[in-house]
C-alpha cells in the first residue's frame, strides 16, 4: 500500500510560522491540526450514528456498531499522511452506508495529492460502483415495499446519479486544486529562474563593464606612453647633443636648447589634451556608453570615438614626425605609395602611433642607425613598414617600460589588422602593420 502524502495548498509553513511552530508529526501548521481533528471528530460522530443504525437493522448490538463507526470515522485524521488508506476504509464501509464525510473528504484529499491519477480513478471507480449497488438495492427494496411503479432502468439511472453525485464532486475539486497548485509552483519556479538569470546577466554586465574600463585604461596608458616616450626621447637626444656642443658652438647649443624646450612644450600640450579628455564629463543629455562586447572590448574602446575632435594625430602629420627625428640627428626617409585619402581618425592615429613608437625604439636601442618609413594606401587597408639598420654608436640612457611592441600590437589588432616585428638579417629591426579601412 502506498503511503504517499497529500499536499494541500497553503500547507507549507512561512518563515515566521516555522519559528513559532516546530510541527507535529506530518502537520507543519497549527491550522492543519485543528482542521483535520475537527473533520475527524465530525466524521467519527456521523459514522458512529450510522453504524449504530446499520447494526440495529442486521441484529447486531448497536454499541458495537457505534464503536466501529467511531473508529472508522476517526481515521480521517490520517488523510494527509495516508490518503489511500483512508479511501480504502471508506470503500470498505460503503455496504454499511456509513462514512459519508470520510468518503467525501478522503477522495478530495486523494485527488489533490501527488498520487497517480490512474490510481485515483481506479479507487473512485470502485467506490462509485459500490455506492451504485448499495443505492440500487436500497431504492429497489423501497420501491418493492411501496406502491410506486418505477422500472428497473429508472432505478438503475437513479442509482448511477447518486453514485456520481457522491464521488465526482470531491474528485473533480481535488484535481482542480492539484492542477492549480502545480501551476503556482511552476510559476514560482519560473520566477526563481528569471531572478537567477537576471543575477547572472547583472554579473556579466558588471564583468563587461570592468573589461571595458580595463580596455580604456590600457588605451589611455598606450597614448600616454607614446606621447611621453617619443617626446622625452627626443629631449634626451637633444640634451645629449647640447652637452657635446655647449663649449664648442654656442649657436648650436642655443638651437638644441630651443629644441628641448619646444619638445617639452609639445609633450605638455599633448598631455594636457589627454588629461582634459579624462576630466571632461558628458553633457546632461548624453547617455552612458554601452559596454562593448567581451571579445572586442579594446576595439570598441578605440573605435568608439572616431567622431571625437581629439581622436589623435593624423597621417598628414607623419612628415612633421619624421622631421623631428631628423632634427634630433636620426637619418629617416619617408616614402608614400598609393593615393592619399582619409582613412578615419582612429585608424590614422593608430598608424601614426606605430611609426612614432618605432622611431622612438630606434633612438633608444639603435643610436646612429638610419630608418626607412614606407606608408602604403591600398584599396581596403593602409600599411606601414619601418626598417632600421644596426646601431652605429652607443645609445643614450633612455629608460623604457618594455611595452612598446605590445602597445603597437594591441592598437593594430583592435582594428582587426595585422602586426609583425622582429630583427632583420643585417642586425637591424623591422616593424610592419596593416590596418583595414573598409567596413
Amino acid at each position: 500500500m502506498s503511503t504517499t502524502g497529500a499536499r494541500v495548498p497553503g500547507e507549507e509553513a512561512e518563515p515566521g510560522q516555522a519559528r513559532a511552530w516546530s510541527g507535529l508529526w506530518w502537520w507543519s501548521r497549527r491550522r492543519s491540526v485543528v482542521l483535520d481533528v475537527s473533520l475527524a471528530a465530525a466524521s467519527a460522530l456521523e459514522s458512529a450514528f450510522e453504524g449504530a443504525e446499520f447494526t440495529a437493522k442486521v441484529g447486531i448490538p448497536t454499541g458495537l456498531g457505534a464503536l466501529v463507526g467511531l473508529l472508522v470515522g476517526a481515521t480521517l485524521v490520517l488523510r494527509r499522511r495516508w490518503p489511500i488508506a483512508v479511501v480504502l476504509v471508506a470503500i470498505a464501509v460503503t455496504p454499511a452506508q456509513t462514512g459519508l464525510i470520510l468518503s467525501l473528504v478522503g477522495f478530495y484529499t486523494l485527488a489533490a495529492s501527488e498520487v497517480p491519477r490512474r490510481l485515483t480513478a481506479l479507487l473512485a471507480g470502485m467506490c462509485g460502483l459500490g455506492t451504485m449497488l448499495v443505492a440500487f438495492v436500497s431504492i429497489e427494496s423501497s420501491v418493492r415495499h411501496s406502491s410506486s411503479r418505477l422500472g428497473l432502468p429508472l432505478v438503475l439511472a437513479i442509482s448511477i446519479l447518486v453514485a456520481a453525485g457522491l464521488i465526482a464532486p470531491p474528485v473533480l475539486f481535488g484535481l482542480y486544486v492539484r492542477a492549480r497548485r502545480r501551476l503556482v509552483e511552476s510559476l514560482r519556479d519560473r520566477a526563481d529562474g528569471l531572478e537567477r538569470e537576471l543575477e547572472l546577466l547583472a554579473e556579466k554586465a558588471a564583468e563587461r563593464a570592468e573589461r571595458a574600463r580595463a580596455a580604456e585604461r590600457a588605451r589611455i596608458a598606450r597614448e600616454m606612453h607614446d606621447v611621453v616616450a617619443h617626446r622625452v626621447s627626443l629631449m634626451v637626444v637633444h640634451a645629449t647633443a647640447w652637452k657635446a656642443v655647449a663649449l664648442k658652438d654656442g649657436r648650436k647649443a642655443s638651437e638644441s636648447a630651443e629644441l628641448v624646450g619646444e619638445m617639452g612644450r609639445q609633450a605638455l600640450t599633448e598631455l594636457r589634451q589627454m588629461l582634459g579628455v579624462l576630466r571632461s564629463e558628458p553633457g546632461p543629455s548624453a547617455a552612458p556608453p554601452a559596454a562593448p562586447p567581451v571579445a572586442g572590448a579594446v576595439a570598441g574602446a578605440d573605435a568608439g570615438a572616431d567622431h571625437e575632435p581629439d581622436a589623435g594625430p593624423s597621417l598628414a602629420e607623419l612628415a612633421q614626425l619624421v622631421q623631428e627625428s631628423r632634427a634630433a640627428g636620426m637619418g629617416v626617409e619617408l616614402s608614400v605609395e598609393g593615393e592619399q585619402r582619409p582613412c578615419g581618425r582612429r585608424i590614422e592615429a593608430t598608424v601614426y602611433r606605430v611609426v612614432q613608437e618605432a622611431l622612438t625604439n630606434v633612438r633608444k636601442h639603435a643610436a646612429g642607425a638610419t630608418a626607412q618609413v614606407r606608408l602604403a594606401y591600398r584599396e581596403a587597408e593602409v600599411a606601414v613598414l619601418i626598417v632600421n639598420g644596426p646601431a652605429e654608436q652607443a645609445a643614450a640612457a633612455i629608460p623604457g617600460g618594455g611595452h612598446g611592441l605590445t602597445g603597437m600590437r594591441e592598437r593594430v589588432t583592435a582594428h582587426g589588422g595585422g602586426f609583425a616585428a622582429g630583427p632583420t638579417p643585417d642586425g637591424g629591426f623591422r616593424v610592419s602593420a596593416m590596418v583595414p579601412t573598409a567596413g
Side-chain angles (χ1 to χ4, degrees):
M1 180 183 300
S2 173
T3 59
T4 305
R7 288 196 306 161
V8 178
E11 184 177 354
E12 294 79 4
E14 297 178 357
Q17 296 172 332
R19 290 191 296 269
W21 171 257
S22 59
L24 176 64
W25 294 335
W26 54 85
W27 291 292
S28 59
R29 295 183 300 176
R30 290 192 179 93
R31 185 173 62 182
S32 301
V33 178
V34 174
L35 176 62
D36 288 357
V37 171
S38 301
L39 290 174
S43 176
L45 292 176
E46 182 251 345
S47 298
F49 179 76
E50 293 175 348
E53 286 187 348
F54 176 76
T55 54
K57 292 179 182 178
V58 297
I60 299 176
T62 57
L64 180 61
L67 178 61
V68 173
L70 189 68
L71 295 176
V72 167
T75 59
L76 190 60
V77 77
L78 308 175
R79 70 184 186 97
R80 296 178 189 267
R81 186 68 178 86
W82 293 292
I84 297 178
V86 173
V87 169
L88 289 177
V89 172
I91 294 175
V93 298
T94 298
Q97 300 182 10
T98 302
L100 177 63
I101 297 177
L102 178 69
S103 177
L104 293 177
V105 178
F107 272 104
Y108 160 75
T109 305
L110 180 68
S113 68
E114 299 301 325
V115 173
R117 292 181 179 178
R118 287 178 294 181
L119 182 57
T120 302
L122 175 62
L123 295 177
M126 292 173 57
C127 187
L129 179 61
T131 304
M132 183 194 70
L133 292 177
V134 171
F136 180 83
V137 172
S138 178
I139 296 174
E140 197 275 335
S141 176
S142 300
V143 170
R144 190 168 53 248
H145 292 85
S146 66
S147 59
S148 302
R149 300 294 181 179
L150 296 177
L152 290 180
L154 183 57
V155 173
L156 180 61
I158 294 175
S159 302
I160 294 174
L161 290 177
V162 170
L166 292 176
I167 302 301
V171 171
L172 293 178
F173 184 59
L175 291 175
Y176 162 75
V177 171
R178 177 181 178 180
R180 182 177 176 273
R181 182 176 63 248
R182 286 188 173 182
L183 176 62
V184 172
E185 291 176 352
S186 66
L187 293 176
R188 185 183 296 113
D189 293 340
R190 184 178 300 178
D192 294 340
L194 290 175
E195 184 177 357
R196 287 191 295 270
E197 289 181 4
L198 289 176
E199 292 177 355
L200 290 176
L201 289 175
E203 292 177 358
K204 291 181 179 179
E207 292 176 359
R208 286 197 297 268
E210 181 60 30
R211 281 192 280 265
R213 286 192 292 268
E216 184 63 15
R217 288 194 295 268
R219 186 185 71 83
I220 295 171
R222 286 195 302 271
E223 290 288 339
M224 298 187 70
H225 170 271
D226 291 343
V227 171
V228 174
H230 175 70
R231 299 297 179 189
V232 172
S233 65
L234 287 176
M235 292 169 66
V236 171
V237 171
H238 284 294
T240 303
W242 181 14
K243 180 181 178 181
V245 301
L247 300 178
K248 299 179 182 180
D249 192 337
R251 186 179 60 83
K252 288 186 178 180
S254 177
E255 292 177 356
S256 297
E258 185 178 354
L259 287 175
V260 170
E262 181 63 25
M263 293 297 105
R265 284 189 291 272
Q266 291 178 1
L268 289 175
T269 300
E270 294 192 30
L271 286 176
R272 286 196 190 99
Q273 290 176 354
M274 283 187 293
L275 292 176
V277 173
L278 292 177
R279 291 172 178 171
S280 62
E281 298 181 358
S285 61
V294 173
V298 178
D302 279 345
D306 278 344
H307 301 291
E308 295 179 2
D310 54 353
S314 64
L315 293 179
E317 301 175 40
L318 271 184
Q320 181 182 354
L321 178 66
V322 171
Q323 184 60 36
E324 291 175 355
S325 297
R326 288 174 181 169
M330 180 188 299
V332 186
E333 297 180 0
L334 173 64
S335 62
V336 180
E337 302 175 4
E339 182 180 356
Q340 298 186 24
R341 67 182 187 277
C343 301
R345 293 298 302 273
R346 283 295 175 185
I347 294 176
E348 293 191 12
T350 297
V351 177
Y352 180 93
R353 295 302 189 191
V354 169
V355 176
Q356 184 184 55
E357 179 62 23
L359 295 179
T360 302
N361 288 340
V362 174
R363 286 191 294 273
K364 286 182 180 181
H365 309 294
T370 59
Q372 293 82 37
V373 179
R374 295 176 57 189
L375 177 65
Y377 290 91
R378 298 170 184 168
E379 181 177 356
E381 64 187 24
V382 57
V384 65
L385 173 66
I386 305 98
V387 181
N388 65 272
E392 297 183 358
Q393 61 188 44
I398 303 176
H403 303 291
L405 293 178
T406 302
M408 287 189 283
R409 187 184 304 276
E410 289 177 352
R411 285 182 180 277
V412 174
T413 56
H415 294 284
F419 177 84
T424 59
D426 60 354
F429 204 81
R430 176 180 181 271
V431 174
S432 64
M434 180 276 296
V435 183
T437 59

